[in-house]
Each structure stands twice: as C-alpha cells, then as structure tokens.
Amino acid sequence: MEKTLYTITIFSENTVGLLNQITIIFTRRGINIETLSVSPSALEGIHKFTITTFTDESSIKKVIKQIDKRVGIIKAYYNTDDDLVHQEIALYKISTEKLLSLGSIEDIIRRYNARILDMTDVWVVLEKTGHYAETQALFRELSERTGVLQFIRSGRIAITKSKVERLSDMLAAMEEKLNGKK
C-alpha cells in the first residue's frame, strides 16, 4: 500500500476534549499524526484543525468518516499537497559569535529568505517560513556551519486553492435548504 501525505482540515465548535477525541481516532487505527495546528477560522465561532499524516486513501477516508461523526465537528476534509497552499514556520537560535564568524550573515538570510527576529550579544533568532524541505535545509546548513542552540518548527498551516473555504459552500447550501423549507 502506497502512503501519501494527506492534510486533514477539520472545522469544529470550540469544545473541551475534542482534540483528544480526534487523536484517539488516529491512535486506534495506528496512524501517526505528523503535524497538528489549531486556530480560530475565518468563520466566527468555528475553529480549524490542520493535521498532516502519511497513510493510504482508504484509511484516510475512514478516518474522515469517523471524525465527521463526533459531536462538535462541523465538517472534516482531506487534501493532498496539489490542492493546497501551505507553509510552516521555523525558528533557529544560533550563537551570535559563531554566526558572525561566517562572514556574511546577509548571504544566508537572502539565500533562504529568512529574517532576524531577535539579536543579542549571545544569540540570534532567525525565522524561516516555507515548506518542510526549505526549513529543514536551513536547519542542516546552520547545524553544520554554526551549530543550532535551539530549533522549533510549527505544524503545517494550509488553505485550499478553491475560491472559498469548502465549509462556506456547505453552510450556504444548508442555509438555502433551511430557507426553502420555511
């Protein structure tokens, strides 16, 4: 079975314990969550979970069906990278002395399209936004050339390439249906 990286988008109410219910679905199926991020969505009162996982299409369809059955879930979708615009953010803390010993900091900043977030006499914090391969490439280079004191990468954030969020279409159709019954 070929495993693909899927990005799952879940729209929900802001309900205590919902994250636990969602992660249990993955655990029971033996599917590992690669990244997870949760935030309020563009629709007031609705939260958006973005989860990535490597699995096959049959398993992802079953996971989505199970997630959709949970109380507090409005709708869950899955996509491949082709359907999305997505990014991660990574932060790197490096010794100021070692970074300055490289000569041109500007070269690394420009080559990786990174930026300096904070700088002291002791350390520098760089930020890089991009795909996993891009943030990982900068991590490798900094590790080899200066050493990295601290490193953190966010989970994926993603939006679909469609004109509007699929949830917006679904909610509009539901509203139309309700208005038609009155």
Side-chain angles (χ1 to χ4, degrees), residues 8-174:
I8 300 166
T9 305
I10 304 166
F11 294 94
S12 73
E13 298 170 359
N14 189 12
T15 308
V16 173
L18 195 55
L19 178 58
N20 185 48
Q21 292 178 40
I22 291 168
T23 57
I24 285 172
I25 293 169
F26 288 87
T27 304
R28 286 188 181 146
R29 295 200 164 273
I31 299 172
N32 189 44
I33 293 174
E34 296 293 321
T35 67
L36 168 69
S37 95
V38 183
S39 69
S41 74
L43 304 169
E44 192 172 329
I46 297 175
H47 277 65
K48 183 177 182 177
F49 292 69
T50 305
I51 300 171
T52 60
T53 188
F54 283 100
T55 191
D56 58 85
E57 190 170 16
S58 171
S59 295
I60 200 71
K61 285 179 178 180
K62 290 174 185 172
V63 165
I64 294 298
K65 281 183 185 179
Q66 284 187 304
I67 291 170
D68 271 339
K69 290 178 185 177
R70 296 282 176 214
V71 172
I73 297 294
I74 298 167
K75 189 67 184 153
Y77 302 99
Y78 70 92
N79 292 288
T80 60
D81 286 355
D82 294 339
D83 305 321
L84 302 169
V85 175
H86 59 89
Q87 295 286 290
E88 294 181 355
I89 185 171
L91 301 178
Y92 313 80
K93 185 186 274 185
I94 303 137
S95 161
T96 303
E97 181 182 342
K98 289 183 179 181
L99 189 61
L100 292 175
S101 73
L102 293 177
S104 177
I105 302 167
E106 189 177 352
D107 175 54
I108 288 177
I109 301 285
R110 285 179 188 250
R111 200 161 16 103
Y112 287 98
N113 197 23
R115 68 186 192 117
I116 296 173
L117 280 186
D118 199 6
M119 187 172 195
T120 71
D121 293 341
V122 180
W123 45 261
V124 176
V125 176
L126 298 179
E127 172 196 11
K128 166 73 180 133
T129 302
H131 293 151
Y132 174 84
E134 297 165 337
T135 60
Q136 194 62 27
L138 178 55
F139 175 75
R140 274 193 305 276
E141 181 165 341
L142 291 172
S143 294
E144 292 167 6
R145 296 182 68 190
T146 66
V148 176
L149 301 173
Q150 292 182 38
F151 172 72
I152 186 73
R153 177 185 292 115
S154 72
R156 173 179 283 193
I157 55 170
I159 56 175
T160 62
K161 290 181 180 177
S162 62
K163 184 177 178 181
V164 295
E165 193 74 70
R166 285 195 280 184
L167 183 64
S168 299
D169 289 340
M170 185 191 92
L171 294 174
M174 287 172 62

